Amino acid sequence: MEQLQHFSHEHPLLFKGEAPQKKIEASSDPPVLCSACDDAVLGPNYSCDQCSNHEFILHQSCAQLPREILQHPMHSNHPLLLITSKSRSYRRYACDVCRKLFEGFSYTCSECRFDIDIKCASNFKNIGCILHFSHKHILTLSDNPSGGGPPVYCIGCLEQVLGPSYICKRNSLREKSCSIVLHKSCAELPLEIQHPMHRQHPLMLNLSGAQECHCDACDQDCSSRFTYNCFQCDFNLHLKCASDWKDFQHFSHEHPLLFNKREASGQPALCSACEDLVLGPNYSCNRCSDFILHKSCAKLPREILQHPMHNKHPLLLLTGKSRSYSQYACDVCRKSFKSFSYTCSECSFDIDLKCASNFKNMGCILHFSHKHILTLSDNPSGGRPPASCIGCLEQVLGPGYICKRNLLREGSCSTVLHKSCAELPLEIQHPMHHQHSLMLNLNGARECHCDACDQDCSSRFTYNCFQCNFNLHLKCASDWKGFQHFNHEHPLLFNKHEASGQPALCSACEDPVLGPNYSCNRCFHFILHQSCAQLPREILQHPMHNKHPLLLITSKSRSYGRYACDICRKVFGGFSYTCSECRFDIDIKCASTFRNIDCIVHFSHKHILSLSDSPSGGGPPVSCTGCLEPVLGPSYICKRNLRDKSCSIHLHKSCAELPLEIQHPMHRQHSLILNLNGARECHCDACDQDCSRRFTYSCFQCDFNIDLKCASEKGFKHFSHEHPLMFKRGNKAKEYTGLLVICDGCQDPILGPSYTCINTYRRRKCCFNLHKSCAELPSEIQHPVHRQHPLFLLNSIQNIKVRCLCNACNQPCIYRYNCSICDFNLHLKCASNWENIIGNASHEHQFIVLPMELADLHINCHICGDYWNGSAYYICSICQLLVHQECASLPRDIKMSGHQHRLKLTWFLEDIYPKDQLCVVCRTSVEKSRAVYYCHECCGYVSHTTCTILAYFREEENPNRFSADDDDEFDDDGQIEHFSHQHLLLVNDHRELVQDERTITCEGCIRPINTITETFYSCTNQEQSCHFFLHDICARLPAKMFIPLLHSHVFTLLSRAPSFDGVFQCYMCGIFNQGFVYSCQECASPAGDNLFYLDVECSMYWRDKTLKHESHAHQLLLCTEWEDVYCRGCGSDIFFCFSCKKCNYYLCISCVKLPLTGRHRYDEHPLELTYASAEDELGEYYCEVCEGTRNPAHWFYECKDCEFDCHPHCILGRYPYVKLGSTYKHDAHAAHHVTLVSKWKSPIRLDKRDNILPCEKCGILCKGLVFECKECNINFHRDGCCGTINLESSRSSPQIKELS
């Protein structure tokens, strides 16, 4: 029998191939344990027969363990010795790898007090442990490094750890806990690499400590993180540059080039491309010390297809080695170079790099008239006699373009061009040749004449139409001001000065031509004034004849040669404006200057009326047709030619100029039209006098008439009296001797201008009088004494029994300003004598601090409207303002980043904007009695003080309101790495897909994705059953969002809510959701509960706060103030909503989210969202799905073809954004998985389909979202808070309410 003398035991050990008989004989006894590993011995072993009862026994494998391990991966600093419990100073030990307690053998380092049990010593790779150079303890792989606590960060890259990582879990009994965390990828980085940026030596992975360290590639700080270093050369690379580095291979050099942000030390080198000093970023070769390029030179294009200096052929970028000649002369600047050049080998054209990119700054052009490049010169003659321009053949005395070709390459060129001639347009449109464009051309030796001036224009620039053989030299082309007149067949030439000799007569107006004119060079008898040539062909509505348009015609166009003007009655033979239907002719002078000849067309007469100083003409006096009074001064008369009967119409100048339409205070309903009453009987409604056969102002709709005298008097209808009031100028107080008249408004005597009832004025029995000032009081005012509400002007004459006292003077008042809400009255004298001492931009008076205890009072601030209790408050006794301490100390002006001007503070907005205004921050109404900030330069820019101050400080703390993820994560190949998924996502563009009938759901918003019309991302590992999809907009959501009007903290985007099942209830709409969520981390409780959750769709509403819904004609605004209103869609009370304040229209957020169409398995047609029900004769409305009653005023889905009506929740489900049917492991039911289901009581009484069971824990019925175990037929509350009803109770959505 085999024996073994083991170092740990004094007796020899015998080998046995079977387990000890004790195990077989008595199965009830505990198994025999190995003295080394403390495990049961069930196979071959070594045991001591001398020690009774199997006191010492070893597994065969444990007996053959080595005594010493020189370098163990878990502890490579010192050897590990195999010792027993008797050899250690402590009996039990904790393994430094798995942290379990053992009493058997251990591998120990006494220097480091390191213990590892024999299992971990041999199988450490299978338990996910490593020993990393960056930490002295063993690191263990973990799937949840944060353990539900705050986020942790990797010590290698300093980024947040969101997936599997290595952590240190040192026992706190031995030493302090270590919070070291490493990404799995960072922990598995190679310790040594060869990098193209530093080929001299290998780079070692190192953890930079507190010392300052910068990356030699990107110059970023890489202290306190992993870097690859060469300590010999002091070279550093951080992880990103080490992994993403790509060499730059330039076509002109055989080795890869390295990028350097700073210039090289020592003497500056010359660029191998442009031969300039390299003083900034550059590319250089580590192997070839003489090759270096500017960053800009290294990125030059290899080919320029069309360069302005040489557009015939492409230019190729060549080096000195690529050319057949090493040195070249630039064809632009004529300097010699040996470096790179842009070359055209066909034309032997070379241009250096600077001239190729900056040719415009060097004054060089390529002109069609010369084959070489022309250069701008201030002295083109160069001291020699002046040269002539090849374009105009005139001397060049100023700046010009010249050609300076080198004599070594080809012959000298003496071409010179004026700067103006060189910059002429190559193509023009000219009035002398409308058919085609004219092209700039250099005429050669052929004879050529200008078609305008008939001068020779050979051997110079001309504008030509080769198709028509038409030529114009430069002077005629530029100085020409001519056109083709409709009345003449030839083009007309413009002449600035009159023609020499006898003045000619204008062919249009027959007056002498003494100034600028248009004439025909071929027809000497045709000439026009410049003004006559530019007359319009047609006048649509002329004041002298507005029935039909007037056409400009000539004598040739008329059937009669000469004509008599219908205004001045003179005879003409030239042009005329004519109406052929009415045989109306007017000469062009009268047509344009009719106002200067005092002519009008009046509605009361069909002919033109002329102003006359003596209308009677020495005969008997005549009467005015308008007022039937004698005409004694200037008036308008009709002087028709004797070919018609004479018209004896006369009008006073004042009557002829009366306005045709007025707004009169005696008839405010409609406008009054000036009218000439005929034979019909008519009476004035003001004075009851006959106004037939004269001018009256009438409203034909109401049969209201008023004569001219009453219309001119200042009368109006006052609200306090049933009759119209007439204005009386009155006498001065010193001259008044009659009976005093008392004002019915203020009860003071009337001694000046006043308004009196027309019945009294016309000696009828009505005695009502008002001061002019009392009658013109505004009906509504905002008064400093009572700023809470507006005051309305009222009177108590009709009800004498009601006795009103003024709240200011305590005196009785008949006319007073009243606030019906507060029962506040103000006498007219008290209202008008109150001193207005309010400033425009800020408060002018000092507040007084009154140390008054307000603990028992309920007072609201007049500025912000908030209630408070405090020890003191601020008051302005002049303005009667009671304000908070914070409101009293508001800054007078403030600067917001979203507006270009400073905002000023005003305490009373009505002084600046009398109409209602909206706050530009929260988009709600601004009450005019409160202080606001406004911009005095931009009309309508107003904001609440609280909105302005809150937005100002939030901008100081969070300069970036929305912080989106870096766009670099969206690769060009369409793949992205999203934080919500472990695999890469691939973009699916709807334009590249065929029709796909699959129904897929976005994991962000839990809405269906239309694969035909929408762009979305899908998981690249779909072959491994990973079906993850995201809308494009959901993939680009900002990681942080700050909404100051909703919450004071920043919202953070999470891929799922931290609840048990990922379900949360949106704070705005109250709908349950299982997608992405914006959460406030600062408001979260230690247990993970949080009230401030926002789903993705609600967060988007805060971007612009406006919405256009099909149910309403106007645009809806997001309401941020909670009001006592009800939703038009579902009738529920609303917290957040979209509203149209103008129409008193409100929609809750959940109704806004309803899709316009839906489907149900019982109906083959799509169902449309309907906003109102048709009236039913029986008045009964039911849902076709649940058979419950339906409110006809609420929205529903309808199929008109099938008469199929149903509740929205019966089509979409109670929880459309929750993944019902998902299974979870519930703590209260460990036997089986539970399923998330929706359970609601049927509206039908005693419906057998109801399956609502009590909760297994608390006994209360489970309704709404419920966890169900179908195998055991038991239910649990979803929220886990037994004893309370579902979360819907706090803020219910109409989609999840149970119908009554």
Side-chain angles (χ1 to χ4, degrees), residues 616-631:
S616 62
V622 293
S623 299
C624 173
T625 308
C627 60
L628 300 185
E629 294 186 2
V631 179

PDB file of all heavy atoms in Angstrom, residues 616-631:
ATOM      1  N   SER A 616     -71.488 133.680 -60.157  1.00  0.00           N
ATOM      2  CA  SER A 616     -72.709 134.244 -60.768  1.00  0.00           C
ATOM      3  C   SER A 616     -72.406 134.927 -62.088  1.00  0.00           C
ATOM      4  O   SER A 616     -73.302 135.102 -62.920  1.00  0.00           O
ATOM      5  CB  SER A 616     -73.364 135.232 -59.801  1.00  0.00           C
ATOM      6  OG  SER A 616     -72.467 136.317 -59.532  1.00  0.00           O
ATOM      7  N   GLY A 617     -71.151 135.333 -62.306  1.00  0.00           N
ATOM      8  CA  GLY A 617     -70.776 135.966 -63.579  1.00  0.00           C
ATOM      9  C   GLY A 617     -71.457 137.307 -63.786  1.00  0.00           C
ATOM     10  O   GLY A 617     -71.757 137.692 -64.923  1.00  0.00           O
ATOM     11  N   GLY A 618     -71.707 138.054 -62.698  1.00  0.00           N
ATOM     12  CA  GLY A 618     -72.368 139.346 -62.808  1.00  0.00           C
ATOM     13  C   GLY A 618     -73.870 139.257 -62.810  1.00  0.00           C
ATOM     14  O   GLY A 618     -74.553 140.292 -62.806  1.00  0.00           O
ATOM     15  N   GLY A 619     -74.456 138.078 -62.826  1.00  0.00           N
ATOM     16  CA  GLY A 619     -75.897 137.910 -62.843  1.00  0.00           C
ATOM     17  C   GLY A 619     -76.461 137.850 -61.435  1.00  0.00           C
ATOM     18  O   GLY A 619     -75.815 138.206 -60.445  1.00  0.00           O
ATOM     19  N   PRO A 620     -77.666 137.326 -61.295  1.00  0.00           N
ATOM     20  CA  PRO A 620     -78.285 137.218 -59.967  1.00  0.00           C
ATOM     21  C   PRO A 620     -77.550 136.177 -59.123  1.00  0.00           C
ATOM     22  O   PRO A 620     -76.890 135.282 -59.645  1.00  0.00           O
ATOM     23  CB  PRO A 620     -79.723 136.789 -60.286  1.00  0.00           C
ATOM     24  CG  PRO A 620     -79.649 136.149 -61.624  1.00  0.00           C
ATOM     25  CD  PRO A 620     -78.561 136.874 -62.382  1.00  0.00           C
ATOM     26  N   PRO A 621     -77.648 136.286 -57.794  1.00  0.00           N
ATOM     27  CA  PRO A 621     -76.969 135.315 -56.918  1.00  0.00           C
ATOM     28  C   PRO A 621     -77.484 133.892 -57.175  1.00  0.00           C
ATOM     29  O   PRO A 621     -78.659 133.688 -57.480  1.00  0.00           O
ATOM     30  CB  PRO A 621     -77.317 135.787 -55.505  1.00  0.00           C
ATOM     31  CG  PRO A 621     -77.694 137.215 -55.679  1.00  0.00           C
ATOM     32  CD  PRO A 621     -78.321 137.350 -57.037  1.00  0.00           C
ATOM     33  N   VAL A 622     -76.571 132.941 -56.995  1.00  0.00           N
ATOM     34  CA  VAL A 622     -76.906 131.526 -57.180  1.00  0.00           C
ATOM     35  C   VAL A 622     -76.840 130.819 -55.827  1.00  0.00           C
ATOM     36  O   VAL A 622     -76.199 131.315 -54.882  1.00  0.00           O
ATOM     37  CB  VAL A 622     -75.954 130.854 -58.192  1.00  0.00           C
ATOM     38  CG1 VAL A 622     -76.173 131.417 -59.591  1.00  0.00           C
ATOM     39  CG2 VAL A 622     -74.512 131.013 -57.763  1.00  0.00           C
ATOM     40  N   SER A 623     -77.545 129.666 -55.714  1.00  0.00           N
ATOM     41  CA  SER A 623     -77.590 128.903 -54.467  1.00  0.00           C
ATOM     42  C   SER A 623     -76.733 127.639 -54.592  1.00  0.00           C
ATOM     43  O   SER A 623     -76.650 127.034 -55.673  1.00  0.00           O
ATOM     44  CB  SER A 623     -79.043 128.516 -54.120  1.00  0.00           C
ATOM     45  OG  SER A 623     -79.829 129.666 -53.939  1.00  0.00           O
ATOM     46  N   CYS A 624     -76.166 127.236 -53.447  1.00  0.00           N
ATOM     47  CA  CYS A 624     -75.346 126.026 -53.395  1.00  0.00           C
ATOM     48  C   CYS A 624     -76.249 124.797 -53.420  1.00  0.00           C
ATOM     49  O   CYS A 624     -77.266 124.740 -52.713  1.00  0.00           O
ATOM     50  CB  CYS A 624     -74.498 126.038 -52.118  1.00  0.00           C
ATOM     51  SG  CYS A 624     -73.590 124.510 -51.816  1.00  0.00           S
ATOM     52  N   THR A 625     -75.862 123.823 -54.238  1.00  0.00           N
ATOM     53  CA  THR A 625     -76.646 122.587 -54.325  1.00  0.00           C
ATOM     54  C   THR A 625     -76.565 121.780 -53.033  1.00  0.00           C
ATOM     55  O   THR A 625     -77.476 121.007 -52.739  1.00  0.00           O
ATOM     56  CB  THR A 625     -76.128 121.729 -55.500  1.00  0.00           C
ATOM     57  OG1 THR A 625     -76.088 122.539 -56.671  1.00  0.00           O
ATOM     58  CG2 THR A 625     -76.996 120.522 -55.737  1.00  0.00           C
ATOM     59  N   GLY A 626     -75.507 121.987 -52.238  1.00  0.00           N
ATOM     60  CA  GLY A 626     -75.327 121.187 -51.042  1.00  0.00           C
ATOM     61  C   GLY A 626     -76.103 121.698 -49.851  1.00  0.00           C
ATOM     62  O   GLY A 626     -76.751 120.924 -49.148  1.00  0.00           O
ATOM     63  N   CYS A 627     -76.067 123.011 -49.602  1.00  0.00           N
ATOM     64  CA  CYS A 627     -76.714 123.546 -48.400  1.00  0.00           C
ATOM     65  C   CYS A 627     -77.854 124.500 -48.698  1.00  0.00           C
ATOM     66  O   CYS A 627     -78.491 125.009 -47.759  1.00  0.00           O
ATOM     67  CB  CYS A 627     -75.674 124.239 -47.532  1.00  0.00           C
ATOM     68  SG  CYS A 627     -74.851 125.622 -48.366  1.00  0.00           S
ATOM     69  N   LEU A 628     -78.112 124.787 -50.011  1.00  0.00           N
ATOM     70  CA  LEU A 628     -79.204 125.657 -50.458  1.00  0.00           C
ATOM     71  C   LEU A 628     -79.061 127.085 -49.941  1.00  0.00           C
ATOM     72  O   LEU A 628     -80.049 127.830 -49.868  1.00  0.00           O
ATOM     73  CB  LEU A 628     -80.567 125.080 -50.028  1.00  0.00           C
ATOM     74  CG  LEU A 628     -80.911 123.690 -50.571  1.00  0.00           C
ATOM     75  CD1 LEU A 628     -82.332 123.311 -50.153  1.00  0.00           C
ATOM     76  CD2 LEU A 628     -80.772 123.620 -52.074  1.00  0.00           C
ATOM     77  N   GLU A 629     -77.842 127.494 -49.596  1.00  0.00           N
ATOM     78  CA  GLU A 629     -77.597 128.865 -49.168  1.00  0.00           C
ATOM     79  C   GLU A 629     -76.878 129.607 -50.285  1.00  0.00           C
ATOM     80  O   GLU A 629     -76.242 128.983 -51.157  1.00  0.00           O
ATOM     81  CB  GLU A 629     -76.773 128.870 -47.882  1.00  0.00           C
ATOM     82  CG  GLU A 629     -77.531 128.267 -46.699  1.00  0.00           C
ATOM     83  CD  GLU A 629     -76.758 128.417 -45.393  1.00  0.00           C
ATOM     84  OE1 GLU A 629     -75.656 129.015 -45.422  1.00  0.00           O
ATOM     85  OE2 GLU A 629     -77.250 127.940 -44.357  1.00  0.00           O
ATOM     86  N   PRO A 630     -76.977 130.991 -50.307  1.00  0.00           N
ATOM     87  CA  PRO A 630     -76.375 131.765 -51.405  1.00  0.00           C
ATOM     88  C   PRO A 630     -74.860 131.553 -51.473  1.00  0.00           C
ATOM     89  O   PRO A 630     -74.182 131.391 -50.462  1.00  0.00           O
ATOM     90  CB  PRO A 630     -76.712 133.215 -51.057  1.00  0.00           C
ATOM     91  CG  PRO A 630     -77.875 133.121 -50.147  1.00  0.00           C
ATOM     92  CD  PRO A 630     -77.725 131.854 -49.368  1.00  0.00           C
ATOM     93  N   VAL A 631     -74.360 131.556 -52.730  1.00  0.00           N
ATOM     94  CA  VAL A 631     -72.924 131.418 -52.973  1.00  0.00           C
ATOM     95  C   VAL A 631     -72.377 132.806 -53.184  1.00  0.00           C
ATOM     96  O   VAL A 631     -72.686 133.469 -54.190  1.00  0.00           O
ATOM     97  CB  VAL A 631     -72.655 130.527 -54.192  1.00  0.00           C
ATOM     98  CG1 VAL A 631     -71.145 130.420 -54.438  1.00  0.00           C
ATOM     99  CG2 VAL A 631     -73.256 129.151 -54.002  1.00  0.00           C
TER     100      VAL A 631
END
